[in-house]
Amino acid sequence: MIPRQADCFQHREAVDALDHAVAGGGTAVLCQVLSGTGGVGKTQLAAHHARTTWEQEAVDLLVWVTATSREAVLSAYAEAAITVIGPDTPETVDLDNPEQAAALFLTWTQSTDRRWLIVLDDVSDPADLGGLNGQRDLWPTLRPNGRTLATTRRRDASLPGQRIDVGLFSPHEASAYLTTKLAAAGRRDSPEDIAALVHELGYLPLALAQAATYLIDLHLDCAAYRSRLANRSNALPDLVPENSGLPDAHRATVAATWSLSIEHADQLRPKGLARPMLHLASMLDPNGTPATVFTSPSALTYLTEHRTVSAGPDALSCHVSAEDAADALRCLHRLSLADHAPDTPHQAVRVHNLIQRAARETLSPAAYDALAVTCADAVLEAWPETDHDTVLDRALRANTAALTSHAQAALWQTSCHPVLVRAGTSLGDVGLIAAAVAHFQDICTAAHHHLGADHPDTLTVRHFLAHWRGEAGDPGGARDAIANLLVDRLRLLGPDHPDTLSTRGDLGTWQGHAGNPSAAAIASEAVLKDSLQVLGPDHLQTLTARMNVAHWRGAAGNPSRAMADFERLLADMMRVLGPDHRKTLAARLHLAFWRGEAGDAAGAATAFEDLLADRVRVLGPDHPHTLITRHNLARWRGRAGDAAGAVDALAKLLPDQLRVLGEDHPDTLTTRGYLGYWRGGAGDAAGAVDALAKLLPDQLRVLGEDHPDRS
């Protein structure tokens, strides 16, 4: 019996791929395997193909086998043997010996001239059909007049024939299915709400079918269902029909569909790791998680401590290695519970969002919160100290956001988990400054809620918020926020605490950026004096204070003094921090800048050229600090007399800034301004006027009328 066609069946790419494989133009493949996770519609696709083949009279015998176990396959083959060998004398087939009966049927398929198609639906384990331990191989023999079609969640290399991967509905297919399904019941919903719901259900055919039935039975619209779906107190089994009301002959609800796959995966080597590995992945970004997250120390410890008992006593006593973790990911991949793509390491592991939810819902509240903290630790451990890979940074930020959406409270139990701050600084460091401000505004609100106004982490988050507010073009707002923070840090931490000294230093910095460099120089000198006394000459805070003093002395009108100060500071930073530390590289940038301001434009250009090579090496070509260095190099080339070279360098820089930072980033606007300026210096006055005229409205829109860069 072929399963009946599902309501509102969608013609999909897999149908065409299967038809193409069968036709083949004289090179047809005689065995196809439809592989994919539970719920993507493999059985329906196989049934559609089998039904079409039969109706077109392309075969004389069609055998449909529910192949969930070896016993089920043997039973189906035995019944087929009666049909083809002993329809008149069925006693010639010994049903009490299913192995022998199956052998008779398979022998018939090898010798007959009749055309046949055998469909092995839902092969749970390829070993069930293999000839292991002296058993007969139950895969039909390849014959020109015979074909085999299998469906399975497995992606084992041992599967015969051609594998056709069956994925999710496309967004169009998913929306068309749900629209048609609802319309058949006399229901209408807006295309926007339908599109939003199919997106939240991850375009999974099984979930859409069961959700549609649930909507119709309870007379809900898509918006109401989305609200129930978003309510974390509703488990997945509560959001689909009861077993007696499942549509299209479904045998299990969405949540139960993957349980058998998880059990199978847990039995594969390394045993007992697939389930805890799926739990780790269930907290992270369904669109992709870097492989290094799952091989981090925290992840390996979690896998070791939560290995299931199926592994056996010897395995339970062994620490899980990075190699074991990678093999566990392959187990999930083989059972189609995850997509593991080692060749794309930054998004190596993908898990459907509903599989993630089903896995999370098996955890107790305490286990859930502990897992969230473990995942946060793992993401942080996978984050390089220096942001040099923007693709990796983006993936880690996306995973932090996913984790926060699932378990925000767990990351604030006693303090602010550092991964939240790391995600915010990463946004700013790669030039997404407006996003960094919004991020720190959100976690500042969360810090007040979870920790209180006087918690040290709340003060730290306020510090970052003020910093990125200033970087976004509001130095006066940053100055005022830092001044308010300083009051609280003095009250709570005292005047000599490193955080208080750092806040005092930042207050001076933002005073300078807000237009008062003399006050900034005086404030920075006072901070330096206290830092030397409290922390010593080699403390990072002291070195930072020296940098601030040198810079603001130059900004206050003494560039030669600033250059001399930075020369001495750089020598100490090289000794204490090393040549590749971000502060050392920043000191080199300041030294080059003040060398130019002191009258040596050519020397400044040479220094920036040397710095650029090291910033590309340490940070990568797309890091904002690398782009800033390229800007300064172009600028000082122009100041040294090479206006055409400046124009050429800035013209090459601008597309990279637009790609990495966006058109509204202050650095992008600054480059546009200097590009117009140096076009004029290179003799193209009309081009300069045109460029600056186009720039001014964007500066007004982004920076406002009072921003100093507008002048």
Side-chain angles (χ1 to χ4, degrees), residues 82-131:
I82 293 177
T83 301
V84 300
I85 298 170
D88 298 322
T89 56
E91 62 275 5
T92 60
V93 179
D94 185 3
L95 293 179
D96 291 331
N97 190 338
E99 289 274 353
Q100 185 184 72
L104 288 173
F105 171 65
L106 291 173
T107 300
W108 178 88
T109 64
Q110 295 174 33
S111 58
T112 185
D113 292 329
R114 297 290 188 93
R115 301 164 300 166
W116 51 263
L117 169 64
I118 299 173
V119 182
L120 299 165
D121 182 41
D122 199 12
V123 176
S124 299
D125 188 343
D128 289 341
L129 284 82

Side-chain angles (χ1 to χ4, degrees), residues 510-565:
W510 291 114
Q511 284 177 323
H513 286 305
N516 194 345
S518 297
I522 294 171
S524 298
E525 288 170 356
V527 174
L528 175 58
K529 178 182 176 182
D530 292 341
S531 297
L532 284 166
Q533 181 178 351
V534 175
L535 304 174
D538 290 344
H539 193 280
L540 183 59
Q541 166 57 37
T542 306
L543 297 173
T544 301
R546 287 177 61 187
M547 181 180 290
N548 289 337
V549 168
H551 175 77
W552 293 114
R553 279 174 176 168
N558 195 343
S560 296
R561 176 72 181 276
M563 184 180 71
D565 287 347

Side-chain angles (χ1 to χ4, degrees), residues 365-595:
Y368 189 101
D369 288 349
L371 175 62
V373 174
T374 294
C375 288
D377 293 340
V379 171
L380 189 62
E381 289 163 356
W383 219 313
E385 184 176 345
T386 301
D387 292 327
H388 64 280
D389 187 333
T390 55
V391 177
L392 175 60
D393 291 334
R394 185 165 59 246
L396 292 171
R397 290 195 302 270
N399 277 273
T400 303
L403 176 59
T404 304
S405 71
H406 297 319
Q408 184 186 62
L411 306 183
W412 293 93
Q413 290 177 341
T414 58
S415 62
C416 171
H417 196 286
V419 78
L420 299 176
V421 173
R422 187 69 181 84
T425 58
S426 173
L427 285 167
D429 287 345
V430 299
L432 300 172
I433 296 178
V437 173
H439 177 88
F440 279 110
Q441 285 174 333
D442 289 342
I443 64 172
C444 190
T445 300
H448 278 85
H449 173 72
H450 292 286
L451 305 177
D454 290 345
H455 193 282
D457 286 359
T458 304
L459 303 182
T460 297
V461 172
R462 287 173 58 191
H463 184 107
F464 280 107
L465 176 57
H467 171 80
W468 291 112
R469 184 176 174 182
E471 291 290 336
D474 184 9
R479 175 200 59 206
D480 295 343
I482 289 292
N484 292 332
L485 175 62
L486 180 58
V487 172
D488 291 332
R489 278 193 157 158
L490 285 167
R491 172 174 59 86
L492 296 168
L493 304 177
D496 294 337
H497 193 281
D499 289 348
T500 304
L501 294 171
S502 175
T503 304
R504 289 173 57 195
D506 280 356
L507 178 57
T509 293
W510 291 114
Q511 284 177 323
H513 286 305
N516 194 345
S518 297
I522 294 171
S524 298
E525 288 170 356
V527 174
L528 175 58
K529 178 182 176 182
D530 292 341
S531 297
L532 284 166
Q533 181 178 351
V534 175
L535 304 174
D538 290 344
H539 193 280
L540 183 59
Q541 166 57 37
T542 306
L543 297 173
T544 301
R546 287 177 61 187
M547 181 180 290
N548 289 337
V549 168
H551 175 77
W552 293 114
R553 279 174 176 168
N558 195 343
S560 296
R561 176 72 181 276
M563 184 180 71
D565 287 347
F566 273 110
E567 285 177 337
R568 289 189 293 270
L569 174 61
L570 180 59
D572 289 335
M573 283 188 164
M574 294 281 285
R575 173 179 55 84
V576 176
L577 304 177
D580 292 342
H581 192 280
R582 60 186 181 86
K583 288 285 188 181
T584 305
L585 296 175
R588 288 177 61 188
L589 182 141
H590 282 281
L591 176 57
F593 175 83
W594 290 113
R595 175 170 282 124

Side-chain angles (χ1 to χ4, degrees), residues 38-39 201 204-211 225 236-237 239-241 243 246 250 252-259 352 354-355 358:
L201 292 174
L204 182 70
L206 177 69
L208 290 166
Q210 296 186 2
Y225 187 81
L236 279 180
L239 299 169
V240 296
N243 287 342
L246 293 176
H250 294 170
T253 62
V254 171
T257 296
W258 304 289
S259 59
H352 192 278
L354 292 184
I355 297 180

Side-chain angles (χ1 to χ4, degrees), residues 610-623:
D610 293 340
L611 175 61
L612 178 59
D614 288 332
R615 279 204 152 154
V616 170
R617 174 178 57 82
V618 175
L619 302 176
D622 287 344
H623 194 282

